[in-house]
Amino acid sequence: KCYYGIIADGLHTHPAALRIAHRTNAPCAVLVTDAMAAMGLGDGSHCIGSQSVTVTGKKAVISGTETLAGSVATMNSCVENFMRNSGCTLVEAVNCATKHPAQLLKCVDLYGTLDFGTAADFVIIDTDVNVLATFIGGDCVYKSDNIVGFFD
């Protein structure tokens, strides 16, 4: 198998390239965020190490230029963008972010699935790919306010 990484943040890769990637070799697509330390910091100028970057919306550039400094996309936004632009299903897009990377790294016996004996690291998302809860080792480490009643 020939796996490939694709940044589906809406900036690095054209929607047509996402469609082509999915239609030609979907089982080997690995979603990558290219996220940098400015992810989640919001709009403005930020120092990342010795580099100054400016974030505007979903775009992070080296300050004073139009050169992409990386991405500020979350994995769930990449899953949603890949699904929307490639025409794949939610299950196919989630596999590109979970199962396929584990297969590539040959660690599918521990990660990438919810099979018995695996690490129990997983997220609960809604149909719009919003993260509702995050679990590490089976323990809930994040719970959105939008998941009322689920854990009661």
Side-chain angles (χ1 to χ4, degrees):
K1 285 186 169 183
C2 182
Y3 289 93
Y4 61 94
I6 194 158
I7 303 169
D9 65 352
L11 295 169
H12 282 81
T13 309
H14 193 276
L18 298 177
R19 281 191 299 280
I20 292 167
H22 175 258
R23 290 180 184 161
T24 58
N25 194 4
C28 295
V30 175
L31 290 182
V32 179
T33 67
D34 193 33
M36 57 185 304
M39 181 187 76
L41 296 181
D43 289 358
S45 293
H46 307 286
C47 288
I48 309 300
S50 62
Q51 187 70 58
S52 177
V53 299
T54 302
V55 175
T56 307
K58 296 179 180 180
K59 189 174 184 180
V61 297
I62 297 171
S63 294
T65 75
E66 286 300 311
T67 303
L68 289 177
S71 175
V72 290
T74 59
M75 183 55 79
N76 63 308
S77 68
C78 289
V79 167
E80 190 278 327
N81 195 52
F82 187 71
M83 183 176 62
R84 180 172 22 87
N85 287 292
S86 73
C88 73
T89 67
L90 176 58
V91 170
E92 290 173 311
V94 167
N95 280 339
C96 292
T98 58
K99 186 177 182 180
H100 299 174
Q103 289 171 330
L104 168 65
L105 297 172
K106 298 183 182 356
C107 61
V108 76
D109 55 329
L110 289 176
Y111 301 105
T113 70
L114 290 176
D115 292 339
F116 181 79
T118 59
D121 297 344
F122 62 95
V123 296
I124 297 174
I125 58 174
D126 62 17
T127 55
D128 293 323
V129 199
N130 296 304
V131 175
L132 300 178
T134 303
F135 290 78
I136 298 176
D139 295 325
C140 184
V141 296
Y142 167 77
K143 182 175 75 165
S144 166
D145 292 338
N146 298 328
I147 194 167
V148 291
F150 190 79
F151 295 102
D152 297 337

